[in-house]
C-alpha cells in the first residue's frame, strides 16, 4: 500500500476493528482478561481479510462470526482460511437502505401476524404508544443468503434465504409470552428483549425457527404479503414443491393482486370442498 492508501485503510478499517475486537465475546474464557493475546489474533485475521478483500473491507458483525471459529480452532492461519470460507457464504449489509429495512420489517410484521397472532395483536394494540412498535424490536445487522446464522453462540448454515425472519419469529414465540401476559408497552418490550441478549438458548431458538419454517411451508394458503418468501427462496433443504394458495389481503390501488392472490372467501370455499372429498382440515 502507498502511504495515502495506508492512511485511508487505517481510518476506514483498522480503527473500527480495534474497537470491535476488544468488546467481542469477552465472557468467553478464550478472550477474557486484559492483554489477552487471542484478541490480537482476532484483530490480525480481520485486518488480513480486509486487506485481501478491499472491496468489502471490514463490517461490524464479522468479529462476532470469527470469534467462535478462532476459539474452536485456536490457530491463526487455519482460522483465517476457515473465516474466508465462511465469508464466501455470507452477505453483509453494512449500510442498508431504507427500502431494505422496510421490506424486512414488512415481512416480519406479516410473518408474526401469521405465525404468532397473539403477539401480533398485542403489537397492534400499542400503536397509540408508538406507530410501529415492531420497528423498535428488530434491527438487522447481518442478512444471510445461504450463509450462517450466529445465534446464542451457535453457528449454523441457513436453510432458507429468509431464515433470519424465522429466527426473529422464533424468539418472539419463545420469549414473547410475558410481553402479552403483562401487557408491556413498547419501551418495556424493548427492555424485555434486550435483557435476553446473551441469555437465550441458541439451540432452542434454532429448533423453533426450523419448526416455524416447516410449519410455514406446510400452510395451504398464505397472504399475498408473504408470497415473495416463496418466490425468492433459492434451492435448499426446505424446497419441496411448496405451492400454497395466495390470499389477497391488501388493497393494490384498484389493480389486480400482483401475486395472483384470490379473496380469502374463495380460499375458504376451496378448503370446504377439499374437506368434503376426504382431505385433511387445514
Amino acid at each position: 500500500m502507498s502511504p495515502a492508501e495506508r492512511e485511508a485503510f487505517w481510518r476506514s478499517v483498522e480503527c473500527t476493528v480495534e474497537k470491535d475486537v476488544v468488546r467481542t465475546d469477552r465472557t468467553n474464557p478464550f478472550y477474557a482478561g486484559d492483554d489477552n493475546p487471542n484478541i490480537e489474533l482476532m484483530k490480525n485475521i480481520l485486518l488480513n481479510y480486509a486487506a485481501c478483500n478491499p472491496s468489502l473491507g471490514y463490517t461490524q458483525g464479522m468479529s462476532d462470526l470469527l470469534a467462535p471459529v478462532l476459539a474452536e480452532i485456536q490457530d491463526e492461519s487455519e482460522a483465517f482460511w476457515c473465516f474466508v470460507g465462511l465469508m464466501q457464504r455470507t452477505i453483509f449489509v453494512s449500510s442498508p437502505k431504507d427500502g431494505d429495512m422496510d421490506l424486512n420489517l414488512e415481512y416480519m410484521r406479516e410473518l408474526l401476524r401469521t405465525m404468532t397472532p397473539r403477539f401480533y395483536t398485542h403489537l397492534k394494540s400499542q400503536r397509540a404508544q408508538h406507530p410501529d412498535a415492531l420497528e423498535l424490536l428488530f434491527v438487522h445487522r447481518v442478512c444471510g443468503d445461504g450463509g450462517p446464522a450466529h445465534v446464542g453462540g451457535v453457528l449454523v448454515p441457513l436453510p432458507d434465504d429468509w431464515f433470519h425472519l424465522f429466527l426473529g419469529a422464533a424468539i418472539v414465540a419463545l420469549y414473547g409470552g410475558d410481553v402479552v401476559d403483562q401487557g408491556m408497552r413498547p419501551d418495556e418490550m424493548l427492555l424485555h428483549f434486550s435483557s435476553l441478549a446473551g441469555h437465550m438458548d441458541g439451540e432452542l431458538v434454532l429448533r423453533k425457527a426450523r419448526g416455524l419454517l416447516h410449519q410455514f411451508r406446510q400452510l395451504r394458503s398464505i397472504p399475498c404479503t408473504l408470497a415473495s418468501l416463496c418466490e425468492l427462496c433459492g434451492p435448499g433443504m426446505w424446497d419441496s414443491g411448496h405451492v400454497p394458495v395466495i390470499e389477497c389481503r391488501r388493497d393494490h390501488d384498484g389493480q389486480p393482486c400482483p401475486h395472483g392472490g384470490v379473496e380469502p372467501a374463495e380460499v375458504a370455499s376451496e378448503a370446504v370442498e377439499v374437506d368434503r372429498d376426504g382431505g385433511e382440515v387445514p
Side-chain angles (χ1 to χ4, degrees), residues 46-91:
L46 293 171
L47 290 178
N48 284 328
Y49 179 83
C52 293
N53 299 272
S55 60
L56 179 59
Y58 173 79
T59 297
Q60 283 189 317
M62 288 184 179
S63 60
D64 294 314
L65 291 180
L66 174 60
V69 174
L70 180 58
E72 180 66 26
I73 297 176
Q74 300 188 11
D75 179 88
E76 181 177 350
S77 178
E78 292 186 7
F80 171 81
W81 289 112
C82 284
F83 183 68
V84 169
L86 185 62
M87 292 304 300
Q88 289 174 348
R89 303 180 60 198
T90 305
I91 291 178

Side-chain angles (χ1 to χ4, degrees), residues 10-21 23 58-60:
W10 167 262
R11 286 199 305 266
S12 63
V13 176
E14 196 165 358
C15 285
T16 305
V17 170
E18 287 188 336
K19 291 178 181 178
D20 279 358
V21 295
R23 56 190 182 188
Y58 173 79
T59 297
Q60 283 189 317

Side-chain angles (χ1 to χ4, degrees), residues 97-113 120 123 132-140 162 164-165 225-226 250:
K97 300 177 182 178
D98 289 343
D100 299 325
M101 299 296 291
D102 290 343
L103 179 64
N104 276 272
L105 285 171
E106 177 65 17
Y107 285 157
M108 189 75 248
R109 186 181 299 107
E110 294 302 317
L111 192 61
L112 291 179
R113 184 208 298 260
Y120 177 80
L123 278 181
D132 192 350
L134 184 69
E135 189 174 340
L136 288 176
L137 301 181
F138 291 93
V139 178
H140 301 290
W162 297 100
H164 59 285
L165 300 179
T225 47
L226 291 177
R250 170 174 290 179

